[in-house]
Amino acid sequence: PLGLGMGSGGCGRWEEEKKEDGVKWMQLEHRGPYFVPLYEPLPEDVQFYYDGKPLKLSLATEEIATFYAKMLHHEYTTKEIFQNNFFHDWRKGMTSEEQEIIKDLDKCDFREIHKYFVEQNEARKALPKEEKQKLKEEADKIQEEYGYCILDGHREKIANFKTEPPGLFRGRGEHPKMGMLKKRIMPEDVTINCSRDSKIPEPPEGHKWKEVRFDNTVTWLASWTENINNSLKYIMLNPSSKLKGEKDWQKYEVARRLKDVVHEIRAQYRRDWKSKEIKKRQRAVALYFIDKLALRAGNEKEEGETADTVGCCSLRVEHIQLHPQLDGQEHVVEFDFLGKDSIRYYNKVSVEKPVFRNLQLFMKNKDPTDDLFDHLTTTFLNKHLQHLMDGLTAKVFRTYNASITLQEQLKALTNPEDNVAGKLLSYNRANRAVAILCNHQRSIPKTFAKSMQVLQEKIDTKKKQVEEAQEEVKKAEDEYEDTKDAKAEANVEKKKKLLKRLEEQLAKLNIQATDKEENKQIALGTSKLNYLDPRISVAWCKKFGIPIERIYNKTQREKFAWAIDMAGEDFEF
């Protein structure tokens, strides 16, 4: 139930009758997941070689070999841990005869198989238009059949209606399980969730479901456990669906509520820096980091199960260095650790003196691998946050600080006199401030240098055109000086108009180049989709006459339909 004020603007579909607590739907009907096609054996003339000799593999062994072959020129297959995990899992799938022969990955030659898949790929790209159209129609047919469900009388789109194909697990960063075999999902692994009175989906012929449930307190349609991390995977509704839209909207409403109490919370953790209990002090310093630096909370994890990544509560002594003075600033904390998805967080921050003093205390007589906040767990922290405000977690701070930063930056950076390109540059700069706050990085795209070069060539060409147009204007003006006739005067105007248009085009290209350069290592998308209240962007577009499609693409506009309906130009987060 959403007991929330609507902001400005009406919003029909988001406001239908409310259900009782915990109930997410009354009716749910769907076709179940679409299972990816079974393995097709390689042609006879494509061979695997062991120790220089061709070796015919059994079907199961061959399938796993193709997973590795497809990745032959990938960075992953150069990593020892990937190779070892793959070889271990591959041998498990072999026949006993194959296990006797294949004992050394270095003697395996996958090159012919790799070449075959590269050629298949090229052939697909080179298909004539009609063939491509036919394939698209087949995919659309599957989408029509499996990609929608009926939820409380609405036909809603499903996000991921296909099961994941088998393959080799990649993981992010130095994941200890990379290279392990992701098994094929069978109907026998799948739990179906739908309403009791609906047409229950039929499993593929000769198979049965693991279980059929009628649980209307959850929003997933099907689930299974994947074999690498033993985690549950779900088939969910598309972000554009009413259910997801409501959830998204609620998330930002919780963050907006934080705005009213954040001053009290800050005053409270400042008081706790001086607490007699070390536990409270640690909680207060951690909360300061979560608030000021938008750090993630950092849950406790099983060792050896995942990459060694940390968040605020799981920081170790080795992850920070204290500098009483650095680069002309006092009380500087230097952070260096791997955060979520093994993305490095590196930052030097000047903190308040009591925080610095407390950190010195927390680090005293500890080894580098000891926990910095040894008296603190995320559970203890989140309990405290829940006590401060209903629904408050560490993530809400990230959402709140991200959204408030965007709103403030847009106010500071947008010049109403700018043209659309100039305003969009300001928007991206505001978005970038948020991405930097949240540490959303990306590696420089492989195509960056090439596309930058192409853009630079365009700029050079345009500069030449501008110079030529300036010459033309001067010529026309001289001619008018000599003759003073109306035709020559009209010609001056015409040439000036052309010059103005070319100058505008050049300015636009220059803005593009600046934007591209500034964004090469920053991922703007993550914060835009997950941390920024879309109503801030919608209101900004409406206020400055920017078409919304310049900010959000079609998929994003569907996801944020609720915000586009709801926010007027005067919306304040």
Side-chain angles (χ1 to χ4, degrees):
L2 298 170
L4 302 170
M6 280 297 301
S8 47
C11 191
R13 182 159 98 107
W14 313 104
E15 284 248 283
E16 286 180 7
E17 76 303 328
K18 304 289 174 257
K19 301 177 183 62
E20 57 188 274
D21 246 352
V23 172
K24 302 291 200 297
W25 46 263
M26 302 312 280
Q27 176 212 11
L28 175 61
E29 186 170 302
H30 56 92
R31 281 290 312 260
Y34 174 79
F35 290 90
V36 288
L38 293 171
Y39 175 64
E40 280 187 30
L42 293 168
E44 288 299 322
D45 58 342
V46 177
Q47 291 187 310
F48 166 76
Y49 295 85
Y50 187 74
D51 210 4
K53 300 183 200 64
L55 179 63
K56 181 79 185 131
L57 300 173
S58 67
L59 205 58
T61 307
E62 179 185 282
E63 179 180 13
I64 301 171
T66 63
F67 300 153
Y68 194 84
K70 283 177 186 173
M71 292 177 71
L72 212 48
H73 290 309
H74 207 291
E75 191 193 344
Y76 277 106
T77 47
T78 61
K79 296 183 179 180
E80 196 178 333
I81 186 160
F82 189 94
Q83 296 172 358
N84 293 344
N85 283 337
F86 159 71
F87 198 59
H88 174 264
D89 279 7
W90 188 30
R91 279 182 56 82
K92 278 199 296 201
M94 292 178 187
T95 63
S96 48
E97 294 85 57
E98 287 168 335
Q99 285 175 346
E100 276 307 304
I101 304 168
I102 303 173
K103 292 192 168 172
D104 184 354
L105 183 60
D106 289 336
K107 292 182 179 173
C108 298
D109 181 352
F110 301 94
R111 283 176 303 185
E112 210 169 278
I113 306 177
H114 175 78
K115 185 167 162 264
Y116 168 73
F117 283 112
V118 170
E119 284 164 1
Q120 289 288 96
N121 222 355
E122 295 301 322
R124 250 201 315 278
K125 282 183 195 161
L127 281 176
K129 210 169 166 185
E130 306 74 64
E131 290 292 315
K132 279 187 180 162
Q133 187 54 35
K134 221 155 76 194
L135 288 174
K136 187 181 179 308
E137 280 163 15
E138 282 167 24
D140 288 348
K141 208 173 127 194
I142 294 171
Q143 165 90 42
E144 269 306 303
E145 195 175 335
Y146 289 90
Y148 292 90
C149 67
I150 304 291
L151 184 113
D152 293 343
H154 293 280
R155 184 170 184 258
E156 298 277 19
K157 202 170 175 183
I158 300 169
N160 52 330
F161 59 90
K162 294 180 176 177
T163 58
E164 282 183 35
L168 303 180
F169 178 70
R170 299 185 179 194
R172 307 266 177 104
E174 296 302 316
H175 202 292
K177 293 188 173 183
M178 64 166 78
M180 284 185 169
L181 176 65
K182 270 196 333 193
K183 296 203 172 99
R184 181 179 290 277
I185 307 299
M186 299 306 275
E188 285 71 14
D189 303 317
V190 174
T191 300
I192 294 288
N193 191 28
C194 57
S195 49
R196 209 175 280 277
D197 54 1
S198 71
K199 187 171 175 297
I200 291 168
E202 293 283 329
E205 211 170 313
H207 290 278
K208 54 181 196 296
W209 302 121
K210 179 181 178 182
E211 182 191 345
V212 177
R213 269 188 213 177
F214 312 108
D215 182 355
N216 66 359
T217 64
V218 295
T219 58
W220 51 267
L221 287 63
S223 86
W224 59 88
T225 303
E226 55 84 32
N227 66 295
I228 305 277
N229 298 309
N230 278 322
S231 61
L232 279 164
K233 294 276 185 184
Y234 298 99
I235 286 185
M236 295 281 202
L237 288 176
N238 185 288
S240 65
S241 63
K242 176 169 180 271
L243 215 64
K244 286 281 190 202
E246 278 180 352
K247 203 173 165 190
D248 216 25
W249 170 31
Q250 260 180 310
K251 172 175 93 176
Y252 292 111
E253 287 301 319
V254 171
R256 285 176 86 189
R257 287 210 323 265
L258 176 56
K259 193 177 59 176
D260 303 326
V261 293
V262 76
H263 302 297
E264 280 168 54
I265 292 174
R266 286 170 180 162
Q268 161 97 45
Y269 70 56
R270 282 194 154 74
R271 286 196 297 275
D272 283 347
W273 289 341
K274 303 197 261 307
S275 168
K276 291 199 169 49
E277 293 176 62
I278 187 88
K279 200 172 174 177
K280 275 192 181 166
R281 282 197 187 201
Q282 290 192 354
R283 184 180 70 193
V285 171
L287 196 46
Y288 170 77
F289 286 159
I290 285 167
D291 180 21
K292 188 175 159 77
L293 304 174
L295 295 188
R296 291 184 180 87
N299 297 311
E300 302 84 40
K301 303 189 299 193
E302 298 297 315
E303 258 183 64
E305 285 294 303
T306 51
D308 177 28
T309 62
V310 297
C312 188
C313 296
S314 46
L315 282 170
R316 298 192 292 271
V317 172
E318 61 192 324
H319 294 137
I320 68 168
Q321 279 188 315
L322 302 181
H323 307 279
Q325 304 232 282
L326 186 71
D327 306 333
Q329 288 186 304
E330 287 195 323
H331 310 123
V332 175
V333 182
E334 184 177 356
F335 292 87
D336 194 352
F337 62 88
L338 290 182
K340 182 180 172 183
D341 294 338
S342 296
I343 301 269
R344 182 182 178 203
Y345 182 89
Y346 181 78
N347 201 357
K348 291 186 245 189
V349 195
S350 169
V351 299
E352 297 181 38
K353 194 174 173 182
V355 172
F356 195 80
R357 285 277 167 80
N358 271 314
L359 288 169
Q360 286 173 319
L361 175 72
F362 303 159
M363 290 167 82
K364 212 171 165 181
N365 304 328
K366 280 189 191 170
D367 290 331
T369 54
D370 288 343
D371 285 340
L372 179 65
F373 300 118
D374 48 338
H375 292 273
L376 183 63
T377 62
T378 26
T379 322
F380 176 66
L381 176 72
N382 276 327
K383 253 197 190 128
H384 175 63
L385 292 176
Q386 179 62 33
H387 168 75
L388 293 172
M389 182 191 109
D390 187 36
L392 185 58
T393 63
K395 186 173 177 165
V396 178
F397 272 96
R398 261 171 94 77
T399 309
Y400 163 77
N401 279 316
S403 291
I404 219 85
T405 302
L406 180 74
Q407 184 166 281
E408 286 167 357
Q409 289 288 319
L410 283 176
K411 275 185 186 156
L413 297 173
T414 312
N415 175 3
E417 305 303 308
D418 273 351
N419 59 11
V420 170
K423 286 181 183 139
L424 284 169
L425 180 66
S426 301
Y427 180 87
N428 278 350
R429 283 184 169 155
N431 190 347
R432 191 173 317 123
V434 174
I436 291 167
L437 172 77
C438 294
N439 198 40
H440 292 150
Q441 303 176 21
R442 61 173 185 177
S443 44
I444 298 178
K446 289 188 176 66
T447 54
F448 179 78
K450 180 89 186 88
S451 62
M452 204 59 178
Q453 186 190 337
V454 170
L455 191 54
Q456 196 50 55
E457 283 162 10
K458 278 187 187 166
I459 289 174
D460 294 340
T461 313
K462 196 62 73 182
K463 270 186 186 155
K464 276 206 189 80
Q465 290 175 338
V466 168
E467 281 162 18
E468 284 162 14
Q470 283 167 338
E471 292 291 316
E472 291 281 316
V473 168
K474 198 171 176 330
K475 246 198 253 169
E477 283 177 339
D478 290 348
E479 195 177 312
Y480 174 60
E481 279 300 310
D482 293 345
T483 60
K484 292 279 188 235
D485 76 340
K487 200 172 167 192
E489 187 177 12
N491 191 35
V492 170
E493 283 312 305
K494 193 173 125 194
K495 297 290 184 196
K496 277 188 173 167
K497 249 190 189 148
L498 176 68
L499 174 63
K500 186 167 184 263
R501 196 167 81 233
L502 287 167
E503 283 174 340
E504 278 173 4
Q505 288 169 345
L506 177 63
K508 197 173 170 182
L509 285 169
N510 278 322
I511 286 175
Q512 255 180 330
T514 310
D515 204 31
K516 214 178 178 65
E517 176 60 43
E518 289 176 359
N519 269 345
K520 65 182 175 192
Q521 278 181 289
I522 306 282
L524 296 181
T526 318
S527 53
K528 200 176 189 173
L529 282 183
N530 302 308
Y531 289 106
L532 296 173
D533 188 329
R535 290 170 295 186
I536 300 169
S537 300
V538 171
W540 180 82
C541 284
K542 288 180 180 174
K543 186 171 179 177
F544 292 107
I546 308 285
I548 286 177
E549 48 276 15
R550 298 299 296 273
I551 300 288
Y552 293 131
N553 65 27
K554 183 169 178 284
T555 316
Q556 293 163 342
R557 292 197 298 278
E558 286 171 3
K559 175 180 163 80
F560 295 140
W562 60 272
I564 295 170
D565 277 356
M566 208 183 274
E569 62 174 67
D570 47 4
F571 171 82
E572 284 277 332
F573 178 72

